[in-house]
Amino acid sequence: MINIKIYSVTELATNCCLLTDEKTGKMAVSDPGDKSDSLIADIKANGNKLEYVMLTHGHYDHIGFAKQLAQMFNAKIVCGKATNEFLSKPELNLSAKHGLEFEPFNADVQLANGDSFMLGETKIKYITTPGHTSGCGCYIFDETIICGDTLFRKSYGRTDLPTGNDEQMIQSLKKLKELEGDYTCIPGHGPLTSLEYERSNNYIMKRV
């Protein structure tokens, strides 16, 4: 079982999550788009047991502090295979578009659809959900999905940026809709939602 704390980072209010396995205290962080002093303090206060930095996709507002955070705690960077190239290409991660300095890096662990890994005693499953970018993916554990910019409350990620694709987005939302049961969904930005709520209220999910 994983405990979750959410921090709002970047000027775009990215939802950055600190995940802590209850039994072992081992931790992971998702989408550290920028430095958060409170996040760092919480990791240190809980024994510096940061194992992974998990990325849902490769835009600057989700990866901006990933390399630094991983180096700080000797953690491994995890992302989908198709996201790795975004980490070293400013034109893909949009840092160039916004005039930001960005040091390229690579993931330590590159996941395929359906792959999983353990955070302490909790299994985290990864599924690919392209559409917002070609490399988007979601992390599923317990009764929670970290959705990145694939799914928002009653909405979904824009598809007009490099490698975005409308049809892929539709198929990705269908994949989420068809998961069994209900989940709390943590989007990349904005309020939390639930999969059951989105099945009934999300414009695309209602039609696929």
Side-chain angles (χ1 to χ4, degrees):
M1 193 75 178
I2 287 178
N3 293 322
I4 305 168
K5 184 174 180 179
I6 301 175
Y7 308 75
S8 181
V9 301
T10 82
E11 72 283 1
L12 299 178
T14 303
N15 289 325
C16 171
C17 299
L18 175 61
L19 313 179
T20 306
D21 178 62
E22 284 186 353
K23 290 189 176 180
T24 64
K26 292 184 177 180
M27 294 174 282
V29 169
S30 68
D31 289 356
D34 202 355
K35 184 178 181 181
S36 168
D37 290 334
S38 58
L39 168 65
I40 293 169
D42 286 342
I43 295 170
K44 291 180 177 178
N46 286 288
N48 299 323
K49 295 181 180 179
L50 186 67
E51 299 273 307
Y52 300 109
V53 176
M54 302 155 38
L55 308 176
T56 60
H57 65 290
H59 285 158
Y60 76 94
D61 55 316
H62 293 256
I63 68 172
F65 197 66
K67 180 179 180 180
Q68 297 92 323
L69 189 65
Q71 289 178 337
M72 190 178 299
F73 294 99
N74 196 30
K76 293 181 179 180
I77 296 173
V78 180
C79 70
K81 290 181 178 180
T83 285
N84 191 58
E85 68 170 329
F86 286 71
L87 311 183
S88 60
K89 294 185 177 180
E91 69 277 13
L92 291 181
N93 62 46
L94 304 182
S95 60
K97 179 180 179 180
H98 293 275
L100 302 172
E101 292 187 8
F102 192 86
E103 186 177 350
F105 63 98
N106 286 293
D108 301 293
V109 181
Q110 298 179 36
L111 302 171
N113 182 58
D115 283 351
S116 62
F117 58 97
M118 299 298 293
L119 178 63
E121 296 188 10
T122 305
K123 179 183 287 188
I124 300 177
K125 182 179 179 180
Y126 176 82
I127 62 171
T128 53
T129 54
H132 177 61
T133 73
S134 59
C136 280
C138 298
Y139 296 91
I140 304 174
F141 54 90
D142 299 334
E143 296 178 351
T144 301
I145 305 174
I146 295 179
C147 303
D149 288 2
T150 297
L151 177 66
F152 299 128
R153 181 176 171 85
K154 297 179 69 174
S155 188
Y156 53 92
R158 58 189 292 186
T159 59
D160 60 338
L161 297 170
T163 78
N165 183 283
D166 288 332
E167 183 56 36
Q168 286 183 339
M169 177 61 80
I170 291 169
Q171 292 305 312
S172 291
L173 292 174
K174 182 179 180 182
K175 179 188 285 189
L176 290 176
K177 178 181 180 178
E178 292 176 348
L179 292 173
E180 291 186 7
D182 194 15
Y183 292 85
T184 297
C185 299
I186 304 175
H189 310 268
L192 277 58
T193 185
S194 73
L195 193 54
E196 191 59 39
Y197 180 84
E198 296 305 317
R199 288 180 179 124
S200 300
N201 294 279
N202 187 285
Y203 175 79
I204 298 296
M205 279 197 179
K206 289 194 297 183
R207 289 162 172 76
V208 295

